[in-house]
């Protein structure tokens, strides 16, 4: 609702597509100077002004076929298409008008109406894809800036520019609020699941104790050397089982979630409800002095509780896998940074070093190229060797060998 309200206000401030040379505020008729039958242009403009946009467009289209390079006709085609809601066609026409025209005023109006096209497109995107709507509005801002650059007196472009900026800011704020709400809901849901896990652990432990008690009673009943369990003993076990069942039912009721799609909590709730049904059967068997049948029902009840616990664990594992997949994709997208060049740790040689040390250095630079060297490497190596020999001979005062 908020988006609809501010977008309605936004669209009231956005001026719609206008015929060429018209006054933007008054929606005046176009005054296009085109070669040929001006009467047809005037008729089309009258139709446009009276809201007969399709009839006006038909005339503009027919004239544009005869004059495909006429910028004013392209502009008017765009204006009519805009009024008919054909935004893609309007955008193409305004772009063509801006490119064909040599008049800054018409170029400015073309850019201005391209901004209006972007605003209309954004309106249809704001609910289903707010980020795309913001991207489209940003394109509109660029068009308005371009219009002002060509005609600084086009105040409507300046007004729409500021209005669009406010709309983008409001959309960003709404996105932030929605993200915060989603985070709060996720935190609440996670807390609810953690509490459910903790309670299920307690119920599983209680149910195991109930099952062990009925198992002992069944063994006592089957043993001819032992008296049958007393009614008081069976009633006590039934009471304990009833307490566990009531806690299970309470937990199942608390697992309800307002979600359209099934969630792990819904699956856990279903298992908890089935467990409560088996627990109730066990109670009846215990009161009827049937510990063996009670034990069987308790075994099934325990299994349902464990499945409920596993349902919540699987949800956490799924979240972790999604997080790992996201991290992995982010890692693949990350570009490798170029390695920094290592600084030479070697200190420069002193100028007063003897020629012997220079000769030793020349020996270290073996004149024989390595086996895998290329022709360029070999030539470079030979060049360096010649320079070193020349340096040695200059230092020692010996004549330099000619290389030619």
């Amino acid at each position: 609702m908020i988006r609809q309200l501010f977008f309605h206000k936004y669209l009231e401030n956005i001026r719609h597509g206008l015929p060429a040379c018209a006054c933007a505020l008054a929606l005046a008729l176009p005054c296009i100077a085109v070669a040929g039958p001006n009467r047809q242009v005037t008729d089309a403009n009258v139709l446009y002004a009276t809201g007969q946009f399709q009839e006006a467009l038909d005339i503009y289209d027919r004239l544009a076929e005869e004059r495909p390079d006429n910028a004013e006709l392209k502009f008017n085609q765009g204006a009519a298409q805009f009024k008919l809601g054909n935004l893609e066609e309007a955008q193409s026409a305004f772009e063509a008008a801006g490119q064909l025209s040599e008049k800054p005023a018409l170029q400015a109006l073309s850019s201005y109406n391209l901004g209006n096209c972007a605003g209309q497109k954004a309106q249809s995107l704001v609910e289903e894809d707010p980020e795309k709507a913001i991207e489209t509005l940003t394109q509109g801002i660029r068009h308005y800036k371009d219009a002002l650059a060509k005609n600084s007196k086009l105040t409507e472009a300046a007004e729409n520019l500021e209005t669009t900026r406010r709309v983008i800011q409001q959309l960003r704020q709404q996105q932030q609020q929605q993200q915060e709400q989603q985070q709060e809901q996720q935190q609440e849901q996670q807390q609810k699941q953690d509490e459910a896990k903790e309670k299920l652990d307690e119920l599983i432990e209680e149910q195991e104790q109930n099952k062990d008690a009925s198992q002992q009673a069944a063994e006592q009943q089957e043993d001819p050397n032992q008296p049958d369990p007393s009614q008081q003993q069976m009633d006590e076990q039934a009471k304990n089982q009833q307490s566990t069942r009531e806690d299970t039912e309470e937990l199942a009721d608390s697992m309800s979630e307002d979600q359209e799609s099934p969630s792990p909590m819904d699956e856990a709730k279903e298992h908890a409800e089935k467990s409560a049904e088996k627990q109730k059967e066990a109670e009846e068997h215990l009161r009827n002095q049937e510990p063996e049948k009670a034990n069987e029902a308790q075994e099934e009840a325990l299994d349902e509780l464990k499945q409920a616990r596993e349902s919540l664990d699987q949800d956490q594992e799924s979240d972790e896998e999604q997080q790992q997949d996201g991290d992995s994709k982010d890692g693949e997208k990350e570009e490798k940074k170029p390695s920094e060049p290592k600084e030479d740790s070697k200190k420069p040689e002193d100028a007063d070093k003897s020629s012997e040390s220079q000769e030793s250095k020349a020996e270290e630079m073996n004149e024989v190229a390595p086996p895998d060297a290329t022709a360029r490497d070999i030539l470079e190596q030979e060049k360096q060797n010649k320079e070193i020999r020349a340096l040695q001979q200059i230092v020692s005062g010996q004549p330099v060998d000619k290389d030619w």
Side-chain angles (χ1 to χ4, degrees):
M1 179 62 70
I2 295 177
R3 286 176 179 163
Q4 292 177 352
L5 288 175
F6 79 69
F7 244 92
H8 179 67
K9 183 177 180 181
Y10 164 66
L11 292 174
E12 287 179 346
N13 290 311
I14 294 292
R15 304 295 180 184
H16 294 319
L18 307 176
C21 304
C23 173
L25 291 174
L27 290 175
L29 299 180
C31 46
I32 303 176
V34 295
N38 289 333
R39 179 63 184 175
Q40 296 184 49
V41 176
T42 302
D43 292 343
N45 294 342
V46 171
L47 292 170
Y48 180 96
T50 56
Q52 301 178 66
F53 304 118
Q54 185 60 58
E55 291 78 1
L57 178 60
D58 292 340
I59 298 176
Y60 292 142
D61 287 345
R62 185 171 63 254
L63 294 175
E65 289 180 0
E66 301 173 1
R67 304 168 181 80
D69 296 333
N70 187 283
E72 287 81 359
L73 284 174
K74 286 290 183 185
F75 186 96
N76 282 4
Q77 283 180 300
Q81 293 282 19
F82 185 96
K83 289 293 188 179
L84 292 170
N86 303 325
L87 298 179
E88 293 296 335
E89 292 80 357
Q91 179 178 333
S92 298
F94 289 135
E95 289 174 348
Q99 293 171 359
L100 291 171
S101 178
E102 296 180 355
K103 301 176 183 178
L106 186 56
Q107 292 175 352
L109 284 175
S110 297
S111 296
Y112 169 75
N113 277 350
L114 284 172
N116 295 340
C117 286
Q120 288 285 355
K121 287 182 178 180
Q123 183 186 17
S124 63
L125 294 169
V126 67
E127 291 295 337
E128 60 185 34
D129 193 349
E131 192 61 38
K132 185 66 175 178
I134 291 174
E135 180 183 341
T136 304
L137 289 171
T138 303
Q139 294 173 358
I141 286 179
R142 288 196 290 269
H143 290 307
Y144 291 136
K145 286 183 176 180
D146 186 57
L148 289 170
K150 293 180 173 64
N151 183 3
S152 60
K153 296 181 180 180
L154 190 58
T155 57
E156 293 81 8
E159 293 173 0
N160 287 0
L161 173 63
E162 292 304 316
T163 301
T164 304
R165 282 174 173 167
R166 289 196 298 270
V167 170
I168 291 176
Q169 182 180 7
Q170 192 166 359
L171 280 175
R172 289 292 188 197
Q173 291 175 351
Q174 286 189 342
Q175 280 187 319
Q176 181 65 27
Q177 292 174 358
Q178 287 181 347
Q179 290 175 358
E180 292 175 356
Q181 290 176 356
Q182 289 176 355
Q183 289 177 354
E184 291 178 0
Q185 291 175 355
Q186 290 174 355
Q187 291 175 355
E188 291 176 358
Q189 183 180 4
Q190 186 60 48
Q191 182 179 359
K192 188 175 180 180
Q193 287 191 9
D194 291 341
E195 292 175 353
K197 289 178 183 179
E198 183 177 352
K199 186 61 179 178
L200 280 169
D201 289 337
E202 295 176 359
L203 291 173
I204 288 172
E205 184 178 356
E206 289 181 15
Q207 192 58 47
E208 287 177 342
Q209 294 174 356
N210 294 334
K211 183 177 72 71
D212 292 342
S214 64
Q215 178 66 31
Q216 294 178 359
E219 293 175 354
Q220 181 180 351
Q221 193 177 55
E222 292 176 358
D223 191 348
N225 298 324
Q226 294 187 19
D228 290 341
S230 64
Q231 185 63 46
Q232 182 180 359
Q233 182 180 355
M234 291 292 95
D235 290 342
E236 184 66 27
Q237 289 189 21
K239 184 178 179 181
N240 292 337
Q241 184 61 80
Q242 179 182 353
S243 176
T244 304
R245 173 179 59 81
E246 291 173 352
D247 290 342
T248 302
E249 291 173 344
E250 182 179 355
L251 176 62
D253 292 339
S254 69
M255 287 179 171
S256 300
E257 289 189 336
D258 297 332
Q259 294 184 355
E260 295 181 359
S261 58
S263 68
M265 283 288 279
D266 294 329
E267 184 178 351
K269 173 184 174 67
E270 184 178 351
H271 288 298
E273 290 173 344
K274 291 180 179 179
S275 177
E277 293 175 1
K278 292 299 178 179
Q279 289 168 349
K280 188 172 182 62
E281 291 181 16
E283 290 177 45
E284 296 174 356
H285 289 307
L286 289 170
R287 289 192 175 94
N288 293 332
Q289 291 283 339
E290 298 172 335
E292 184 174 357
K293 292 183 179 179
N295 186 261
E296 293 175 358
Q298 289 171 330
E299 181 68 33
E300 294 182 36
L302 179 60
D303 183 62
E304 292 292 345
L305 289 175
K306 289 180 178 180
Q307 290 186 53
R309 183 66 170 82
E310 290 174 359
S311 298
L312 300 181
D313 285 337
Q314 289 175 357
D315 179 53
Q316 183 175 0
E317 291 174 359
S318 176
D319 291 341
E320 291 176 354
E321 289 177 359
Q322 291 178 358
Q323 181 66 29
Q324 290 175 358
D325 291 342
D327 294 342
S328 176
K329 290 180 180 178
D330 292 340
E332 291 175 359
K333 292 179 181 179
E334 184 178 358
E335 295 181 359
K336 293 184 178 180
K337 296 182 179 180
S339 58
E340 296 291 337
K342 296 182 178 179
E343 296 183 359
D344 189 2
S345 59
K346 295 182 180 180
K347 296 181 179 179
E349 297 290 335
D350 296 335
D352 58 347
K353 283 193 175 181
S354 64
S355 60
E356 294 180 357
S357 63
Q358 293 178 349
E359 292 175 358
S360 175
K361 183 176 181 181
E363 291 175 356
E364 291 175 0
M365 299 177 63
N366 195 339
E367 295 184 7
V368 180
D372 57 347
T374 63
R376 179 178 293 181
D377 296 333
I378 295 173
L379 292 174
E380 185 66 20
Q381 184 70 50
E382 181 61 26
K383 182 179 178 181
Q384 292 178 1
N385 292 337
K386 288 179 181 179
E387 291 175 353
I388 292 172
R389 287 199 300 272
L391 179 61
Q392 292 172 353
Q393 290 168 344
I394 291 173
V395 174
S396 60
Q398 297 178 2
V400 180
D401 293 339
K402 293 183 179 180
D403 292 327
W404 60 88

